[in-house]
């Protein structure tokens, strides 16, 4: 059967259309593949491998997780370079942002004579006005500049306790910088003198502190002015030793000590201070020490720019000449040098001796020859001025003919040297002064050497056997809290703290007790002390509680007015709780009306009512820590002293 021409034409059109459709589909697929590959290549080249390219017809879909919004935008822009931007479909996600970490909160507290400045970042929840009040009180009302900024983040653990501890610390420091971070306080302060430096360090490092709070202390003190600048180095039968030394800086001290160690001296030290006669002082000292070592013995005495080299008796002439010439040629300019070679020492003991002895209880005995009655009176007056009139005993004799020239000056200088000791003796002979004993002043040895050199000259023969005993140093060993409380007990056993009847006003009879307690506390360093008030049982319980609180606070205010540092004190009223005698007799009621002092950390009395304490409780107590303190403080053993407050009535009927 043959097809009609019309059917043939229609069939031809159908076949042609199907082929074109297939060809079109193949072309689109090829275009999708090439577009996706081009976009993927561009993204890979730019480092955006996290973006996945999915072709969708003539469109290119980007999927994946961009690290941030900027990276998402750049990836879309890069894809638009490979294909028409209108064909790029953005299905990218942006990674969720991590929560911002809280900033490092820190405060710098700067205090000087012009006031207090606060700089730093604190949590928004910090009670800023309370902090300013605490610092203003600690700085005795000095002007305060608040340059703090805040951040809306929770306060870190221990933040408030650290700030409170820093405010209390500031009260002890007239010129200081406190760097406060959560749980840690760094103190940099300036003292007026090396003695003040040691006292401040002892005060700060023995302070009670909140649990978890550490402290780091650096106290700077201006070096003392040393006049004259003196050095004595000796080698004899007892060995090599640096009897006195002064240096103007660490480098100078190290150079001198290195020379002394090379000559055989052990455990030598050198006092730092201002007043060196020349920048070449350490070089001259080192060369002089080396010369003594080369001689095999002798003494080097330097006073400012004067240098004296004493050879040991019997030194060979050629060795002496060679050593002294080498030293003279090598010394820096500006120093005056002389050397002496004495003859062999006589074996005959000299009979002329003056001795001054100082016992541990402060008694002084002077014995030996003096020129005349006027010199005897002068020696007595000097000793009485240094040690007290009642402490001096004279066992001297007058010898106007047999005393060497300059004897009176040597005796007076020896008595003055003895005043630097806590116990010991001074022996004065025509050719030597020997000072031996113990002292609580770490610089006493250098002070004695400098004073002897200034009074008697660099050539004076001096033997110093002076040792530092820390137990004699009043600044190195402040009394313990228990010792301070024991002193208060002694005072209150003699004098009662009393009040006007029915009030919290201290009676005039209480003033001697307050004054003596204040004297004790001012020498105790930082102390955690509780002042507790008690009443008898007459009147309403609530009224008695308030009266006891007011009386305890009155004692605290009186101590504050007496310039006692009371930042670590608290006043607590216990009312009629914990009676120590029956309340049914007048004698018992009088005993129960009392003030008690105790160390914070001791347990409250059994049966005591909740104390009427206003404000946050004080931080836990601590024992004296090392220079950098970490970890929780130990507790203080319970101790307390009871002080009857006298017969005043506790409440109006």
């Amino acid at each position: 059967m043959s097809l009609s021409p019309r059917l043939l034409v229609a069939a031809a059109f159908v076949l042609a259309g199907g082929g074109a459709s297939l060809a079109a589909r193949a072309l689109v697929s090829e275009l999708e593949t090439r577009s996706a590959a081009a976009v993927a290549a561009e993204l890979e080249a730019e480092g955006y491998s996290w973006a996945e390219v999915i072709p969708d017809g003539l469109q290119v879909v980007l999927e994946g997780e961009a690290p941030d919004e900027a990276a998402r935008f750049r990836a879309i822009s890069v894809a638009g370079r490979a294909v028409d931007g209108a064909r790029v479909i953005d299905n990218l996600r942006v990674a969720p942002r991590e929560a911002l970490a809280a900033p490092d909160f820190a405060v710098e507290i700067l205090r000087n004579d012009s006031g207090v400045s606060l700089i730093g970042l604190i949590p928004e929840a910090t009670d800023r006005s309370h902090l300013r009040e605490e610092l203003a009180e600690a700085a005795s009302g000095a002007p305060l500049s608040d340059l703090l900024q805040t951040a809306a983040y929770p306060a870190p653990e221990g933040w408030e306790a650290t700030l409170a501890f820093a405010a209390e610390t500031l009260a002890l420091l007239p010129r200081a910088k406190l760097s406060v971070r959560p749980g840690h306080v760094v103190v940099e302060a300036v003292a007026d003198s090396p003695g003040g430096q040691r006292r401040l360090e002892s005060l700060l490092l023995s302070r009670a502190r909140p649990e978890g709070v550490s402290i780091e202390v650096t106290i700077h003190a201006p070096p003392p002015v040393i006049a004259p600048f003196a050095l004595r180095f000796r080698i004899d039968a007892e060995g090599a030793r640096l009897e006195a030394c002064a240096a103007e800086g660490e480098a100078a001290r190290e150079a001198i000590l290195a020379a002394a160690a090379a000559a055989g001296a052990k455990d030598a030290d050198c006092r730092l201070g201002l007043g060196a006669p020349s920048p070449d002082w350490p070089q001259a000292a080192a060369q002089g020490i080396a010369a003594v070592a080369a001689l095999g013995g002798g003494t080097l005495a330097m006073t400012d720019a004067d240098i004296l080299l004493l050879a040991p008796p019997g030194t060979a002439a050629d060795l002496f000449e060679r050593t002294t010439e080498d030293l003279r040629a090598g010394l820096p300019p500006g120093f005056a040098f002389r050397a002496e070679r004495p003859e062999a020492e006589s074996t005959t003991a000299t009979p002329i001796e003056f001795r001054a002895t100082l016992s541990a209880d402060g008694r002084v005995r002077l014995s030996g020859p003096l020129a005349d009655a006027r010199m005897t009176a002068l020696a007595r007056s000097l000793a009485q001025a240094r040690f007290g009139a009642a402490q001096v005993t004279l066992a001297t004799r007058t010898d106007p003919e047999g005393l060497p020239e300059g004897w009176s000056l040597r005796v007076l200088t020896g008595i003055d040297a003895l005043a630097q000791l806590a116990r010991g003796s001074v022996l004065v002979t025509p050719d030597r002064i020997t000072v031996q004993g113990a002292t609580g002043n770490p610089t006493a040895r250098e002070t004695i050497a400098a004073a002897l050199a200034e009074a008697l000259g660099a050539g004076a023969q001096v033997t110093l056997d002076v040792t530092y005993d820390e137990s004699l140093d009043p600044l190195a060993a402040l009394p313990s809290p228990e010792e301070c409380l024991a002193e208060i007990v002694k005072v209150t056993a003699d004098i009662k703290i009393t009040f006007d009847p029915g009030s919290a006003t201290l009676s005039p009879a209480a003033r001697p007790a307050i004054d003596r307690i204040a004297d004790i506390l001012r020498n105790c360093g930082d102390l955690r002390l509780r002042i507790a008030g008690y009443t008898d049982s007459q009147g309403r319980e609530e009224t008695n509680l308030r009266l006891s609180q007011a009386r305890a606070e009155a004692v605290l205010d009186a101590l504050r007015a007496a310039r006692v540092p009371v930042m670590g004190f608290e006043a607590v009223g216990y009312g009629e709780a914990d009676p120590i005698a029956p309340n049914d007799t007048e004698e018992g009621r009088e005993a129960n009306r009392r003030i008690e002092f105790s160390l914070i950390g001791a347990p409250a009395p059994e049966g005591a009512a909740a104390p009427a304490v206003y404000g946050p409780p004080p931080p836990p107590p601590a024992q004296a820590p090392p220079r950098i303190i970490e970890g929780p403080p130990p507790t203080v053993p319970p101790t307390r002293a009871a002080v009857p407050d006298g017969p005043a009535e506790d409440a109006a009927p």
Side-chain angles (χ1 to χ4, degrees):
M1 183 178 67
S2 62
L3 298 172
S4 67
R6 287 188 176 186
L7 290 175
L8 290 173
V9 172
F13 274 108
V14 169
L15 292 173
S21 175
L22 292 173
R25 289 181 180 178
L27 182 61
V28 169
S29 178
E30 178 67 19
L31 183 60
E32 286 181 344
T33 301
R34 289 188 177 186
S35 297
V39 171
E42 286 287 340
L43 291 172
E44 186 69 29
E46 294 292 336
Y48 301 133
S49 57
W50 43 264
E52 182 181 358
V53 181
I54 302 174
D56 185 8
L58 297 180
Q59 295 177 327
V60 177
V61 180
L62 299 184
E63 292 190 352
E65 187 173 88
D68 52 50
E69 187 63 33
R72 183 190 70 83
F73 179 78
R74 289 195 297 268
I76 296 172
S77 299
V78 169
R81 295 204 303 257
V83 298
D84 185 359
R87 294 169 54 195
V88 178
I89 304 301
D90 175 19
N91 277 352
L92 294 172
R93 304 180 307 278
V94 177
R97 297 179 62 182
E98 295 182 0
L100 294 177
D104 292 331
F105 292 112
V107 175
E108 297 282 337
I109 305 175
L110 309 176
R111 181 182 180 186
N112 53 33
D113 296 335
S114 61
V116 179
S117 298
L118 296 177
I119 305 170
L121 180 67
I122 62 175
E124 195 172 64
T126 301
D127 190 341
R128 194 164 176 169
S129 61
H130 179 65
L131 175 62
R132 287 197 294 263
E133 290 174 2
E134 283 189 321
L135 292 174
E137 181 181 355
S140 302
L144 189 144
S145 300
D146 184 353
L147 305 177
L148 294 173
Q149 296 181 338
T150 61
Y153 287 87
E157 184 178 358
W159 175 250
E160 295 293 344
T162 308
L163 280 180
F165 178 69
E168 293 179 359
T169 303
L170 187 71
L172 305 172
L173 305 169
R175 292 178 296 278
K177 180 181 79 169
L178 276 67
S179 301
V180 184
R181 294 184 178 274
H184 191 61
V185 178
V186 178
V187 177
E188 291 186 59
V190 177
D192 294 329
S193 64
Q197 177 188 30
R198 291 185 292 126
R199 180 174 179 82
L200 269 182
E201 286 180 347
S202 182
L203 280 173
L204 293 174
L205 296 176
S206 63
R207 295 186 66 241
R209 56 193 170 80
E211 185 175 0
V213 175
S214 61
I215 182 171
E216 183 176 345
V217 176
T218 302
I219 305 295
H220 304 280
V225 176
I226 302 175
F229 231 60
L231 181 145
R232 288 184 68 86
F233 178 79
R234 172 176 298 195
I235 299 178
D236 56 17
E238 298 179 5
R241 57 193 181 277
L242 194 59
E243 294 183 334
C245 179
E248 202 164 42
E250 286 292 346
R253 175 162 66 179
E254 292 302 323
I256 295 173
L257 294 180
K266 297 179 180 179
D267 301 325
D269 198 7
C270 200
R271 182 185 180 193
L272 288 179
L274 303 177
S278 165
D280 297 321
W281 169 268
Q283 177 186 347
Q287 291 176 339
I289 291 171
V292 175
L295 291 173
T299 302
L300 172 71
M302 297 178 62
T303 305
D304 288 334
D306 295 325
I307 301 177
L308 172 64
L309 178 64
L310 296 175
T315 301
D318 58 342
L319 175 61
F320 176 75
E321 293 295 332
R322 185 170 62 252
T323 303
T324 54
E325 286 303 317
D326 289 345
L327 178 57
R328 182 178 284 107
L331 282 174
F335 287 88
F337 172 70
R338 63 189 178 94
E340 296 180 4
R341 183 173 68 93
E343 300 297 331
E345 290 183 342
S346 172
T347 57
T348 305
T350 178
I352 304 177
E353 292 183 351
F354 177 88
R355 188 181 298 273
T357 59
L358 172 62
S359 63
D361 60 0
R363 296 186 177 277
V364 175
R365 185 176 188 274
L366 307 181
S367 62
L370 295 173
D372 49 35
R374 187 182 66 85
M375 181 57 201
T376 301
L378 187 58
R380 178 192 292 110
S381 298
L382 178 61
Q384 290 177 343
R386 294 290 184 265
F387 306 100
Q391 300 293 92
V392 178
T393 301
L394 259 67
T396 59
R397 67 181 189 276
T398 57
D399 187 358
E401 302 297 333
L403 299 180
E405 183 179 357
W407 180 253
S408 296
L409 177 60
R410 296 172 69 82
V411 167
L412 295 177
T413 304
I415 295 173
D416 227 18
L418 186 67
Q420 296 291 329
L421 305 179
R423 59 177 182 271
S425 65
V426 173
L427 177 63
V428 181
T429 64
D431 58 355
R432 183 176 297 278
I433 292 181
T434 302
V435 183
Q436 60 182 6
T439 176
N441 180 1
T443 63
R445 183 168 169 168
E446 289 76 12
T447 301
I448 292 172
L452 293 177
E454 183 178 23
L456 306 178
Q461 293 288 323
V462 176
T463 299
L464 298 179
D465 184 13
V466 177
T467 58
Y468 170 68
D469 186 345
E470 186 175 356
S471 65
L472 301 174
D473 189 342
L475 298 179
L478 292 174
S480 69
E482 291 77 15
E483 292 170 335
C484 291
L485 188 64
E487 291 297 316
I488 295 174
V489 172
K490 293 179 183 178
V491 171
T492 55
D494 297 333
I495 308 174
K496 296 179 180 180
I497 296 179
T498 56
F499 297 84
D500 290 344
S503 76
T505 302
L506 285 162
S507 69
R511 176 50 55 187
I514 295 295
D515 290 342
R516 287 174 60 182
I517 292 171
D519 289 339
I520 293 169
L521 292 173
R522 279 193 291 267
N523 294 320
C524 283
D526 189 69
L527 194 66
R528 304 293 293 174
L529 191 69
R530 178 184 295 114
I531 304 169
Y534 293 89
T535 68
D536 60 28
S537 62
Q538 290 187 325
R540 296 172 56 194
E541 183 177 351
E542 181 180 352
T543 302
N544 288 337
L545 187 63
R546 291 186 177 277
L547 180 60
S548 66
Q549 177 68 33
R551 287 181 169 179
E553 290 177 354
V555 175
L556 177 62
D557 291 340
L559 292 175
R560 181 184 291 111
R563 305 187 67 82
V564 173
V566 298
M567 293 295 290
F569 292 13
E570 68 175 15
V572 182
Y574 290 99
E576 60 192 56
D578 192 29
I580 59 175
N583 276 302
D584 54 3
T585 66
E586 179 54 36
E587 292 78 8
R589 289 192 293 273
E590 180 180 345
N592 290 331
R593 294 189 295 266
R594 67 195 189 277
I595 294 292
E596 286 191 354
F597 293 87
S598 64
L599 299 177
I600 293 178
E606 286 188 26
V613 183
Y614 304 101
Q623 299 284 2
R627 188 168 300 274
I628 298 178
I629 317 161
E630 304 288 349
T635 58
V636 178
T639 315
R640 70 179 188 176
V643 188
D645 70 10
E649 293 296 329
D650 290 315

